[in-house]
Amino acid sequence: MDYIQRALTGDGAIRAIAAVTTDMTDKARKIHGLSKTATAALGRTLTAAAMMGCCLKGERDSITVQIDGGGPIGKVVCISDSEANVKGYVSNPEAEVPPKNGKLDVGSLVGHDGFLGIIRDFGLKEPYVGKVKLQTGEIGDDIAAYFAQSEQIPSIVALGVLVNRDLSVKAAGGLIVQVMPNAEERHIAALEKMVSEMPAMTKIISEGATPEDIIGYALSPFDSYTMKRFETAYKCDCSEERIEKALISLGKKELSDIIEKEGKAELKCHFCNKKYNVSADRLRELLEEA
Ligand SMILES: [Zn+2]
């Protein structure tokens, strides 16, 4: 079962978040029929969204990660709530590119001619939107660039997905290490050394490493730290009510057009592919509400 540990060193200088997300990545693969490299791309983004989700403060806050790099996969969109329930989709789930140096070439599938956007919704009128130019399209580097540029928090972000020959997910997870404003030069030097020696995320997770083990590696240079555990899972919260709200938000003209041309509406949730049928009678009621 997937979960996350969020840790803070005793002196408050370094924050580390580690996740094992093998189950959610495999669930996403099955829902969307993802290619091998698309599984890696969406799995990495879901993992990052979940780790950022469990740093949200308000119960009803949410975070959206949007990547549009101009590559064959199209857009990658993932949303997490403050309990690290995540959902996501990509524009072209079956898109694939050949491996590079024996590794899944996520950077080429996503592309790097575009932007990564993070939308933090705190239930206020306007959500907070941060946007950075993509670095490599490998996602981990791009999230790290977002933290550095948009939030001024130097961060190390490692994300990994390992896919079996039969396309099922063997291992997925990630690590974010962040240097807080009160960190000293020695903290940063110790972290840099740790990162240069740390084995690949997918290697240690496929060998059975837990989030505690990953935190243990990451924070080994530090004397003490505390941890907090978060369960995380792929979960869609769509409902008839939400779909109807979306229809209402289209406005009167669009709705009348649908009633006139289609008679009824057939909608599919982007995140879980569940289908919703809205009858002509119900559409007319929604038109009244619009
Ligand atoms: Zn759904």
Side-chain angles (χ1 to χ4, degrees):
M1 226 189 34
D2 295 343
Y3 66 98
I4 297 171
Q5 287 283 5
R6 194 184 72 195
L8 190 67
T9 54
D11 54 8
I14 307 288
R15 174 161 78 178
I17 310 159
V20 171
T21 54
T22 309
D23 292 345
M24 77 162 71
T25 304
D26 202 50
K27 188 166 175 185
R29 172 187 74 85
K30 286 182 188 150
I31 288 172
H32 297 293
L34 298 167
S35 72
K36 217 170 180 179
T37 312
T39 299
L42 188 58
R44 287 182 192 180
T45 314
L46 284 169
T47 303
M51 289 193 284
M52 293 166 88
C54 73
C55 295
L56 292 168
K57 292 200 174 75
E59 224 174 88
R60 303 186 64 181
D61 296 355
S62 71
I63 190 156
T64 304
V65 182
Q66 275 181 350
I67 303 169
D68 190 358
I73 200 170
K75 275 191 188 145
V76 182
V77 179
C78 293
I79 303 178
S80 174
D81 67 15
S82 62
E83 292 179 340
N85 295 307
V86 291
K87 56 184 182 177
Y89 68 88
V90 302
S91 314
N92 304 309
E94 291 167 18
E96 187 56 292
V97 291
K100 195 166 135 190
N101 307 325
K103 286 185 176 163
L104 297 177
D105 190 2
V106 174
S108 293
L109 190 70
V110 170
H112 46 78
D113 190 15
F115 291 88
L116 173 134
I118 306 273
I119 303 159
R120 291 171 180 274
D121 192 341
F122 303 122
L124 306 169
K125 221 169 185 183
E126 292 291 324
Y128 171 79
V129 184
K131 210 172 175 189
V132 290
K133 229 183 147 320
L134 285 171
Q135 308 290 308
T136 59
E138 292 281 338
I139 300 164
D141 303 339
D142 303 304
I143 301 263
Y146 163 80
F147 281 128
Q149 292 170 31
S150 252
E151 300 194 0
Q152 282 79 48
I153 304 174
S155 305
I156 294 153
V157 181
L159 303 167
V161 174
L162 191 63
V163 182
N164 288 314
R165 212 174 270 264
D166 68 359
L167 298 185
S168 62
V169 177
K170 186 169 188 197
L175 170 69
I176 298 177
V177 184
Q178 300 190 308
V179 178
M180 297 321 219
N182 61 334
E184 294 160 25
E185 197 48 54
R186 63 184 173 90
H187 288 117
I188 298 165
L191 263 186
E192 278 170 355
K193 183 169 182 294
M194 176 282 297
V195 171
S196 66
E197 291 166 0
M198 184 141 174
M201 205 47 56
T202 47
K203 181 176 185 293
I204 57 174
I205 295 172
S206 64
E207 288 167 1
T210 62
E212 290 84 347
D213 296 333
I214 301 168
I215 295 278
Y217 275 116
L219 298 184
S220 58
F222 305 97
D223 304 333
S224 71
Y225 54 86
T226 52
M227 283 197 285
K228 188 174 177 198
R229 178 182 168 129
F230 296 81
E231 306 306 318
T232 183
Y234 194 103
K235 217 185 231 174
C236 190
D237 53 356
C238 64
S239 64
E240 213 153 85
E241 199 190 337
R242 278 190 173 219
I243 293 286
E244 290 187 345
K245 265 194 190 148
L247 279 168
I248 292 171
S249 72
L250 290 176
K252 281 189 174 164
K253 178 158 186 330
E254 280 272 327
L255 265 178
S256 337
D257 275 1
I258 296 172
I259 297 171
E260 207 173 296
K261 287 182 193 145
E262 323 273 340
K264 57 184 170 116
E266 278 181 10
L267 295 137
K268 197 167 80 173
C269 172
H270 279 313
F271 297 100
C272 69
N273 287 335
K274 189 173 170 188
K275 287 193 181 102
Y276 291 89
N277 287 302
V278 187
S279 69
D281 287 347
R282 185 66 190 139
L283 281 174
R284 274 189 281 272
E285 285 171 23
L286 295 176
L287 184 60
E288 294 284 308
E289 285 179 46

